[in-house]
Amino acid sequence: MKILFVCTGNICRSPLAEGILRSKLKKNHNTAEVDSCGFESFHIGDAPDARAQAIAKKHGIDISAHQARLFTIKDFDRFDQIYIMDVSHYQRVMHLSRNVNDRQKIDFIMNQAFPGSNLNVQDPWYSDISAFEKVYQQLELACEIIASRLKEKPGKT
């Protein structure tokens, strides 16, 4: 199973989700591939926001080695599941999809915890570190469910 998380700049929400899920999969000895990316080019190659790194570290996760990258159409070929953080990401990924197979891979990450809700994970960029903690908690809940499903049925989410 190959999982991709998508957000705006790939420096806050999606690298947090990537780090959280990687940590959970490692504990379960699951070898699923996990990655993240974004849509804004001004952060390409950057490490995650210092606040995202601090929150991850607080929870025992190191995301400092991550480097932001852009979403590409090739990601549809590389990944089995593409989780997005909000409606704007959903629209952009759907717009780039080439066919039904691509579209079936796309879902809001919070639908893992609240099926069919299409809830956004709010962008913490313009807020203080407490917003990053809230984002962490949302993503931790969703990633726990993803990890549990992968543990029960490797290859499925």
Side-chain angles (χ1 to χ4, degrees):
M1 175 60 68
K2 297 176 182 178
I3 298 168
L4 180 66
F5 297 106
V6 182
C7 72
T8 304
N10 192 215
I11 60 166
C12 296
R13 293 170 286 180
S14 59
L16 272 173
E18 177 186 349
I20 293 166
L21 186 58
R22 277 184 194 272
S23 174
K24 291 180 178 303
L25 294 178
K26 185 176 180 181
K27 288 177 187 173
N28 293 342
H29 306 287
N30 188 307
T31 58
E33 182 179 332
V34 183
D35 196 6
S36 65
C37 63
F39 278 109
E40 299 300 334
S41 62
F42 48 81
H43 288 297
I44 293 173
D46 289 354
D49 182 278
R51 297 164 294 176
Q53 289 187 55
I55 289 299
K57 187 174 183 178
K58 173 184 168 188
H59 294 279
I61 300 170
D62 182 5
I63 61 171
S64 63
H66 173 79
Q67 292 187 338
R69 74 169 184 88
L70 291 177
F71 180 86
T72 70
I73 290 176
K74 290 180 182 180
D75 287 323
F76 287 115
D77 299 325
R78 184 171 165 212
F79 293 94
D80 303 304
Q81 186 68 54
I82 300 171
Y83 291 114
I84 56 82
M85 301 295 154
D86 66 34
V87 69
S88 69
H89 309 136
Y90 182 82
Q91 291 168 343
R92 291 177 85 171
V93 174
M94 287 296 274
H95 178 74
L96 293 172
S97 67
R98 303 162 294 187
N99 53 48
V100 172
N101 186 51
D102 288 354
R103 289 186 283 282
Q104 289 176 338
K105 296 178 180 187
I106 307 164
D107 198 8
F108 287 78
I109 188 170
M110 293 313 297
N111 282 346
Q112 297 305 297
F114 307 101
S117 65
N118 295 348
L119 292 174
N120 291 336
V121 176
Q122 294 301 313
D123 190 347
W125 175 257
Y126 295 104
S127 301
D128 64 18
I129 199 157
S130 66
F132 283 80
E133 179 64 36
K134 182 179 177 185
V135 164
Y136 180 92
Q137 295 303 325
Q138 288 179 293
L139 296 174
E140 199 282 330
L141 175 63
C143 287
E144 179 63 33
I145 293 166
I146 294 167
S148 294
R149 288 183 182 153
L150 287 172
K151 188 176 181 182
E152 292 168 11
K153 298 177 184 177
K156 303 271 184 186
T157 57

